[in-house]
Amino acid sequence: MDSWVDGQPADALSLKDRGLAYGDGLFETIAVHDGFPVLLDRHLVRLAKGCRRLAINLDHAAVVSEVLTYAEQLNDGVLKLIITRGDSLRGYAFDPSAQARRILTGNPPAVYPQAHAEQGIRLFPCTTRLSFQPLLAGLKHLNRLEQVMARAEWQDTEHAEGLMLDQAGRVIEGVFSNVFLVHDGVLITADLSSCGVEGVMRAELLSQAESLGIPLQITDITLEQLQGADEVFVCNSVYGVWPVRAYAALSWPVGPLTRKLQTIARALLDA
Ligand SMILES: C=C(O[C@@H]1C=C(C(=O)O)C=C[C@H]1N)C(=O)O
Ligand SMILES: Cc1ncc(COP(=O)(O)O)c(C=O)c1O
């Protein structure tokens, strides 16, 4: 399917785009099923938060309308929405009144081995660490070099994802996922106030778990806590939930809470 820029079919972008020059923008990767963008409200909430934090002027009504129309035409697949601050000639300074550029691309459904969801995955121990930046933490901004470097650390198919730590050695997230662990019936995920992306699926699973009365904790996670976990899983808005079986010398069984949340995520992606 053709890409769109500001609501019009396009296959080229200005060389002055600040997304290209500085990574000055945000993105959302949205699963589309039967013509509907899955978890759209949560994607829009994160996008709006990013725009406020970066002082990006975005026509949010145009985004909603374009995403809905584009998703209808894509029908099934993965829609990527990229927002950039638009053009500037040179230098970091920007025109605070400039309207953001809206870019939409469509991709076929992501295909992963069934075994990832069924039997669980092995996480690669990435040595690339996430840097602390509370101003950008949580946002899905366009500066993703840490993830690019981390993903280049393994080429084998034995590892489906990699685990990333922060500068202090705390467990933060996967390269393209968020991470959860279960300990004594408590569902635990990393505090992302210094680094990491606040995933849409993470937010949805936290909210679903709260409705189910499952005790939750959003906190710092050490490798020792990871080692002592009863269950570990990763999630994102495209594949849902993958149980984690192993990380370096550590291993876990695929547990009941992981399966429960995986079923919920699958139902949302297939609704
Ligand atoms: C990096 C992108 O998106 C992330 C990756 C995936 C995925 O590969 O499953 C899914 C959603 C995002 N967290 C991207 O370029 O779209
Ligand atoms: C670094 C990082 N963390 C977490 C996620 C999961 O986010 P979501 O659930 O919104 O797909 C992603 C997906 O792009 C990511 O790139």
Side-chain angles (χ1 to χ4, degrees):
M1 185 171 165
D2 280 347
S3 299
W4 291 2
V5 175
D6 292 338
Q8 300 299 317
D11 59 6
L13 206 57
S14 162
L15 291 176
K16 298 173 195 154
D17 189 276
R18 292 179 61 96
L20 172 68
Y22 309 123
D24 191 357
L26 300 158
F27 73 109
E28 294 292 332
T29 303
I30 308 175
V32 174
H33 184 64
D34 274 350
F36 286 100
V38 179
L39 297 175
L40 178 61
D41 288 354
R42 291 197 184 277
H43 283 287
L44 294 173
V45 165
R46 180 173 61 190
L47 183 64
K49 184 176 170 183
C51 288
R52 278 195 304 277
R53 189 90 65 85
L54 300 179
I56 286 180
N57 289 320
L58 178 64
D59 183 342
H60 292 273
V63 167
V64 176
S65 147
E66 286 164 17
V67 167
L68 287 172
T69 308
Y70 197 89
E72 204 177 334
Q73 292 181 23
L74 185 63
N75 198 46
D76 272 300
V78 179
L79 177 163
K80 186 159 172 179
L81 165 66
I82 303 176
I83 301 299
T84 76
R85 204 188 295 274
D87 286 355
S88 73
L89 279 174
R90 204 189 62 77
Y92 294 136
F94 61 87
D95 171 2
S97 65
Q99 276 295 315
R101 178 166 283 141
R102 307 178 301 276
I103 303 161
L104 284 174
T105 59
N107 304 280
V111 183
Y112 293 108
Q114 271 294 108
H116 291 3
E118 286 171 6
Q119 277 105 57
I121 63 159
R122 173 175 282 277
L123 289 179
F124 186 86
C126 295
T127 56
T128 307
R129 298 261 176 122
L130 292 163
S131 38
F132 295 130
Q133 181 42 279
L135 265 181
L136 299 176
L139 307 186
K140 197 137 178 219
H141 56 73
L142 290 175
N143 296 246
R144 289 288 143 218
L145 284 178
E146 290 172 335
Q147 283 72 27
V148 170
M149 291 179 77
R151 186 60 191 88
E153 288 188 44
W154 83 95
Q155 273 77 44
D156 60 73
T157 50
E158 193 193 333
H159 298 91
E161 234 302 23
L163 185 69
M164 297 192 76
L165 312 179
D166 68 11
Q167 300 296 319
R170 288 179 288 237
V171 172
I172 300 296
E173 62 182 354
V175 176
F176 53 96
S177 318
N178 290 111
V179 65
F180 280 83
L181 51 98
V182 180
H183 187 77
D184 282 345
V186 182
L187 183 66
I188 303 167
T189 194
D191 180 294
L192 302 178
S193 45
S194 295
C195 53
V197 170
E198 282 172 7
V200 156
M201 188 55 85
R202 171 184 181 270
E204 178 65 22
L205 295 179
L206 284 170
S207 150
Q208 295 269 354
E210 192 172 19
S211 315
L212 290 168
I214 296 164
L216 303 174
Q217 236 185 310
I218 299 174
T219 186
D220 288 347
I221 300 176
T222 63
L223 280 173
E224 290 69 35
Q225 282 168 302
L226 186 71
Q227 179 168 15
D230 303 318
E231 305 176 28
V232 180
F233 66 88
V234 288
C235 67
N236 83 17
S237 51
V238 170
Y239 66 70
V241 167
W242 287 338
V244 174
R245 273 188 304 105
Y247 167 76
L250 308 179
S251 63
W252 303 272
V254 179
L257 190 46
T258 300
R259 285 294 187 218
K260 183 177 238 172
L261 294 172
Q262 183 178 42
T263 305
I264 290 172
R266 195 68 263 155
L268 288 165
L269 290 167
D270 292 344

